[in-house]
Amino acid sequence: MDNITSVIAENISYKVNDNKLFHNLSFSLNTGESLHIKGPNGSGKSTLLRIILGITNPTKGSISINSTKDKCYLGHKNALKNYLSLDDNILLMEFDNHPCLKKYIEILDLKRYLDVNVANLSYGQQKKLGLLRLFLNSSDLIILDEPFVGLDKETQIILTDFLTDQLKENKTLIYTSHIECDIDSKTLLLK
Amino acid sequence: MNELKLEYLKLKKKTRSWLGPILVFWLIMLAFPLTVEFMQDKLEIGFFSVLWIAILISMMLATEDIFIEDYNDGSLEQTIIKNTSFQFLISIRIIVYWLMIGVPISILSFIFSLGTSEDLLLSISVIPLSIISSYIFLNLFALGSALSLNKGSLLGALITMPLALPVLIVLGKSIIAFQLGINYLEFILLLLGCLSIIIIAVPIIVSFIIKAHLE
């Protein structure tokens, strides 16, 4: 399959009050490519992801995304309802009829917690439930903010393998991570 | 339809959010006769004022956490990045709140009105008024809740309260008009006119406000 340009960022700048978070950032990504955004705390990694998602507007510059599908995004917050069971949360994500749901429930070892309220799960288990949003996505563009935080080694490997497979399926991946992972990626360093 | 079902599921499981305002309304209406003499004519004086204010307060309570929970858990971000219309989803949420809270309160309004006035026609006339006004109040306080998304719901309620005052005036006049046999339908039409504007305007404004908060 031919690779086509998926994301183009031109001269992106963002400042909070008078403090420049980043200035004149440009990059482009083809389908099947991955971008690892690196940088110290407060360097604007999450803000850049939010700009790519269209949640935050850049002070200057433009982003163009060559996809009409919904973007797949996992941020610091898992977008889960604490007062609902795992089953109900899956229903809210609209994955209840997804053909691969059972498979990933098994892989993530969540089956025995399906009737349990999310509030009663550990942070790692909640994170795994949040990962279903990624594992069952049908998007062309995957954006992840620190996806490995809170996950055990085994799940980190499952996630890495999944993301590598997604890249082979010509999806585009943009992520931030302080935890090293074995994904073949371009690197963007924010200072 | 699926969005309606999902919003219903969320609200149904948050018992405090839908049952709380209904109980507050019920308690106010039950407590009102205790503060005046138990005589028919005494009870009727001021009953409708208390009724409209009880609906107003219940709707204010109902919208207290209408957006804040989604804001805190990251659901709003997930909603915004979807291709689905955000305004549409806000409208659906307000409709579900109205069906789960506004409509039961309107039915209770009829029962309390009948119990107090013992006038079936007058009590029936309360139903459309309470149904329309509860929907208007929900929209207005949802706007307030969006405005004060991360600053506490009381601030939002205070900001939007002046917008609800003209509706209270119309509600008061409607009952007088019904009792005098004049212009009741015109007042209903006036409320429906307000509602038709609010139904369209509020979701659009709220969606812009929430997007600004997320930025």
Side-chain angles (χ1 to χ4, degrees), chain B residues 116-170:
Chain B
T116 308
S117 67
E118 293 175 2
D119 182 339
L120 183 64
L121 282 178
L122 180 64
S123 302
I124 289 172
S125 76
V126 165
I127 297 176
L129 289 172
S130 51
I131 280 183
I132 300 168
S133 62
S134 59
Y135 203 3
I136 292 176
F137 291 147
L138 265 179
N139 274 279
L140 292 178
F141 289 124
L143 174 66
S145 190
L147 277 169
S148 62
L149 198 53
N150 47 9
K151 295 175 188 69
S153 57
L154 187 64
L155 179 68
L158 287 174
I159 294 167
T160 40
M161 187 64 88
L163 295 172
L165 297 182
V167 181
L168 282 178
I169 294 169
V170 173

Side-chain angles (χ1 to χ4, degrees), chain A residues 50 53 55-57 68-71 73 77-81 83-84 88 91-92 94 133, chain B residues 2 6 9-10 13-14 69-75 77-78 80-84 211 214-215:
Chain A
R50 291 168 71 84
L53 285 163
I55 297 172
T56 302
N57 288 320
T68 51
K69 288 186 183 173
D70 284 340
K71 301 171 195 94
Y73 170 61
K77 298 170 183 171
N78 292 318
L80 300 173
K81 300 292 169 204
Y83 52 88
L84 295 180
D88 288 337
L91 193 69
L92 282 187
E94 300 183 59
R133 209 182 284 279
Chain B
N2 198 37
L6 295 178
L9 169 74
K10 279 197 274 182
K13 298 274 179 166
K14 284 194 293 180
E69 171 203 303
D70 283 0
Y71 178 75
N72 287 334
D73 68 21
S75 300
E77 289 167 350
Q78 293 290 345
I80 279 179
I81 62 172
K82 278 186 181 172
N83 290 330
T84 322
K211 281 177 186 170
L214 287 173
E215 244 190 275

Side-chain angles (χ1 to χ4, degrees), chain B residues 2 10 19 22 29 59 66 74 81 88 97 100 106 113 120 128 131-132 135 141 144 156 158 168 175 185 187 190 211:
Chain B
N2 198 37
K10 279 197 274 182
L19 192 58
I22 295 173
M29 297 315 294
M59 294 304 117
I66 191 166
I81 62 172
F88 172 71
Y97 270 67
M100 293 272 294
S106 301
S113 175
L120 183 64
I131 280 183
I132 300 168
Y135 203 3
F141 289 124
L158 287 174
L168 282 178
I175 290 297
L185 271 177
F187 280 113
L190 181 62
K211 281 177 186 170

Side-chain angles (χ1 to χ4, degrees), chain B residues 3-21:
Chain B
E3 280 81 7
L4 203 67
K5 199 181 90 182
L6 295 178
E7 286 297 334
Y8 168 71
L9 169 74
K10 279 197 274 182
L11 187 57
K12 190 183 80 174
K13 298 274 179 166
K14 284 194 293 180
T15 314
R16 195 178 66 94
S17 293
W18 64 267
L19 192 58

Side-chain angles (χ1 to χ4, degrees), chain B:
Chain B
M1 276 308 284
N2 198 37
E3 280 81 7
L4 203 67
K5 199 181 90 182
L6 295 178
E7 286 297 334
Y8 168 71
L9 169 74
K10 279 197 274 182
L11 187 57
K12 190 183 80 174
K13 298 274 179 166
K14 284 194 293 180
T15 314
R16 195 178 66 94
S17 293
W18 64 267
L19 192 58
I22 295 173
L23 283 178
V24 166
F25 174 82
W26 189 63
L27 284 173
I28 293 173
M29 297 315 294
L30 274 185
F32 160 69
L34 305 177
T35 61
V36 290
E37 287 180 55
F38 284 104
M39 291 164 73
Q40 183 67 28
D41 55 335
K42 300 281 183 193
L43 276 175
E44 274 188 51
I45 299 170
F47 168 77
F48 288 102
S49 307
V50 174
L51 179 71
W52 305 135
I53 291 167
I55 292 177
L56 180 84
I57 291 171
S58 307
M59 294 304 117
M60 196 170 89
L61 289 173
T63 54
E64 205 178 12
D65 62 349
I66 191 166
F67 302 119
I68 188 71
E69 171 203 303
D70 283 0
Y71 178 75
N72 287 334
D73 68 21
S75 300
L76 277 179
E77 289 167 350
Q78 293 290 345
T79 311
I80 279 179
I81 62 172
K82 278 186 181 172
N83 290 330
T84 322
S85 161
F86 190 37
Q87 290 97 304
F88 172 71
L89 293 173
I90 291 165
S91 306
I92 292 288
R93 178 164 299 182
I94 295 172
I95 287 172
V96 169
Y97 270 67
W98 176 67
L99 289 173
M100 293 272 294
I101 304 166
V103 172
I105 280 178
S106 301
I107 295 165
L108 283 176
S109 302
F110 164 74
I111 294 167
F112 279 112
S113 175
L114 188 63
T116 308
S117 67
E118 293 175 2
D119 182 339
L120 183 64
L121 282 178
L122 180 64
S123 302
I124 289 172
S125 76
V126 165
I127 297 176
L129 289 172
S130 51
I131 280 183
I132 300 168
S133 62
S134 59
Y135 203 3
I136 292 176
F137 291 147
L138 265 179
N139 274 279
L140 292 178
F141 289 124
L143 174 66
S145 190
L147 277 169
S148 62
L149 198 53
N150 47 9
K151 295 175 188 69
S153 57
L154 187 64
L155 179 68
L158 287 174
I159 294 167
T160 40
M161 187 64 88
L163 295 172
L165 297 182
V167 181
L168 282 178
I169 294 169
V170 173
L171 288 170
K173 300 287 178 204
S174 307
I175 290 297
I176 295 168
F178 185 84
Q179 285 168 331
L180 297 175
I182 51 163
N183 294 339
Y184 169 74
L185 271 177
E186 278 82 345
F187 280 113
I188 294 276
L189 288 173
L190 181 62
L191 285 174
L192 279 174
C194 292
L195 182 62
S196 63
I197 296 168
I198 285 171
I199 276 179
I200 296 165
V202 166
I204 295 170
I205 299 168
V206 166
S207 70
F208 280 114
I209 293 168
I210 290 177
K211 281 177 186 170
H213 273 293
L214 287 173
E215 244 190 275

